[in-house]
Amino acid sequence: MPLAVYILGLSVFALGTSEFMLSGLLPPIADDMNVSIPRAGLLISAFAIGMVIGAPLLAVATLRLPRRTTLISLISVFGLGQVAGALAPTYEVLFVSRVVSAFACAGFWAVGAAVAIAMVPVNARARAMAVMIGGLSIANVLGVPLGALLGENFGWRSAFWAVGAASAVALVGVTTLIPRIPVPEQKPQLKQEMSIYRDRQVWLSIVVTALAAGGVFCAFSYLAPLLTDVAGLDSGWVPTVLALFGIGALVGTTIGGRVADAHLFGVLMSGIAASTVFLIALALLSSYQVAAVALSFLLGVSAFYTAPALNARMFNVAGAAPTLAGATTTAAFNLGNTGGPWLGGAVIDADFGYAATAWAGAAMTVLALVAVVCSLRLQNRGTSRRVTGSPAAAASPAPSAGSASVSESASVPASESSRTPETYAPAGATGTGTV
């Protein structure tokens, strides 16, 4: 794995900490800004909305710009957004700072994911994405609990200052260690990149990603008040439980990244099904402290176990447009991160209680499972038509039903096999790819 991929993963640590740390800071932010907890929860949705809009916009705007320069610019803007949040005098200013930071975060994710995918062979894509997503996992293990700890002891603004400092460290790493990537002789064409949205599999991937992420974060966004008000834990336990979620995320990312390249649909179905079971259990058992803590860990495992597969799936079905594929995946995840907290807040406002957010999340993950099954059937029908219609197919045995149901590598989409962008191999890379 190229060193640059690990540098991108370290940079994502700062991005992920900012995105998720508000789950442990909602009560003090609500008190300081004189707003309700559901309204404070909209700050999570604000970041997600910025990611949804910013990912495709910045992907298009930077399509022909040097990748390294783009990454440096975006991480700089992100850091300044954290400073603005730390200094925000009102809720409205804090809201805007979250949106601006999210735009920069989205652009970094889109370009960084395209660079990471380009530097490895096709059969290592999920592992490359696992390294980047590992930055999110470490953010959940260390960054989010530390943010909650800082908020508990020094005020919620100190968490924003800490992320600003982490962003400065990430900027140094990107500037000094990400190689300068040559611009392809044949520059990407926007019309060609946009053609991926004519593929039904791309839209199914968006739906699966948004629902799977939204289901988990519908409950996770309100985990702090659930732990204190429903389970009866002291607020000092919240950072510890958030760290357990992060440890689960790291475990899930590691396992999912190693398995997904060979069994992509198997990972998707098993991981989303597990999230559904854990959410239902959380809804039923949230008043029991041990159960609430254990299920927080298990939700981290199941949610991030599927993340490498969700990313790799999008790059597989939209391989002709790697930058927009990364942007689309980012937008899809954050559609879920927008809709999930919004739905959770609506459930709370309707006086169903914090535990009901887990029921709402389970409903979203069930719909995600339905979309996975639809995507698998559509792919199997396409594979069957290609096999029966190809003269060469008659001389070779058809893949077994088991492999067709769980293996993505058994059938590479046409959009990927026809990729023609210029390849490059940055210093330290072990494989070649495209930008």
Side-chain angles (χ1 to χ4, degrees):
M1 195 67 61
L3 175 62
V5 176
Y6 291 100
I7 297 303
L8 292 171
L10 289 174
S11 301
V12 167
F13 168 79
L15 306 180
T17 299
S18 178
E19 182 172 4
F20 298 126
M21 70 179 181
L22 261 65
S23 298
L25 298 174
L26 289 185
I29 289 176
D31 289 342
D32 188 35
M33 295 292 182
N34 294 317
V35 296
S36 66
I37 285 182
R39 193 180 181 200
L42 289 178
L43 292 169
I44 300 174
S45 295
F47 197 97
I49 291 170
M51 294 279 282
V52 170
I53 299 172
L57 283 181
L58 286 171
V60 170
T62 63
L63 196 57
R64 299 189 177 189
L65 298 179
R67 303 300 200 201
R68 181 171 172 270
T69 302
T70 301
L71 291 174
I72 291 172
S73 301
L74 291 171
I75 196 67
S76 299
V77 172
F78 175 82
L80 291 174
Q82 302 310 298
V83 173
L87 297 173
T90 65
Y91 174 85
E92 290 73 21
V93 174
L94 180 58
F95 191 96
V96 172
S97 76
R98 295 292 289 170
V99 175
V100 171
S101 296
F103 262 71
C105 180
F108 191 97
W109 257 109
V111 176
V115 171
I117 288 293
M119 289 190 292
V120 299
V122 173
N123 62 356
R125 286 176 169 179
R127 276 180 287 156
M129 292 312 303
V131 172
M132 287 193 67
I133 297 167
L136 283 182
S137 302
I138 296 172
N140 279 287
V141 173
L142 296 177
V144 174
L146 284 175
L149 190 63
L150 286 171
E152 182 78 17
N153 293 282
F154 302 102
W156 63 268
R157 296 177 189 274
S158 63
F160 280 79
W161 284 115
V163 175
S167 303
V169 174
L171 174 61
V172 173
V174 171
T175 303
T176 58
L177 297 174
I178 296 292
R180 188 176 299 277
I181 301 171
V183 178
E185 292 180 4
Q186 182 182 357
K187 294 186 177 181
Q189 299 296 319
L190 179 59
K191 183 177 180 180
Q192 178 184 346
E193 296 256 333
M194 293 293 290
S195 66
I196 65 171
Y197 296 119
R198 294 199 294 266
D199 189 339
R200 284 180 294 175
Q201 288 284 24
V202 169
W203 287 103
L204 278 171
S205 294
I206 293 172
V207 170
V208 172
T209 303
L211 289 172
V216 172
F217 283 94
C218 181
F220 178 77
S221 298
Y222 300 96
L223 187 60
L226 184 145
L227 291 171
T228 56
D229 294 6
V230 180
L233 286 169
D234 185 83
S235 61
W237 277 94
V238 172
T240 301
V241 178
L242 291 176
L244 283 175
F245 179 91
I247 292 171
L250 187 58
V251 171
T253 300
T254 302
I255 298 172
R258 292 183 177 277
V259 177
D261 282 311
H263 306 287
L264 192 143
F265 276 103
V267 169
L268 289 179
M269 288 189 285
S270 61
I272 296 173
S275 292
T276 303
V277 172
F278 298 149
L279 285 166
I280 292 173
L282 183 63
L284 295 172
L285 304 173
S286 57
S287 59
Y288 299 94
Q289 295 180 352
V290 173
V293 171
L295 288 167
S296 297
F297 168 78
L298 293 173
L299 270 176
V301 175
S302 64
F304 282 78
Y305 169 72
T306 59
L310 290 168
N311 278 274
R313 175 63 179 164
M314 182 63 76
F315 278 99
N316 286 347
V317 298
T323 302
L324 271 185
T328 302
T329 306
T330 300
F333 269 109
N334 286 280
L335 279 173
N337 292 348
T338 303
W342 174 84
L343 180 60
V347 166
I348 295 168
D349 283 337
D351 294 327
F352 287 109
Y354 293 115
T357 60
W359 283 116
M364 296 181 74
T365 55
V366 167
L367 292 176
L369 273 175
V370 173
V372 171
V373 172
C374 292
S375 180
L376 176 59
R377 288 184 175 179
L378 181 62
Q379 174 167 300
N380 285 343
R381 284 202 301 269
T383 302
S384 176
R385 284 196 297 270
R386 287 197 295 273
V387 170
T388 58
S390 170
S396 59
S400 66
S403 63
S405 66
V406 296
S407 177
E408 179 74 13
S409 58
S411 172
V412 179
S415 63
E416 180 151 341
S417 61
S418 61
R419 287 172 62 182
T420 57
E422 181 158 333
T423 60
Y424 75 93
T430 57
T432 58
T434 61
V435 183

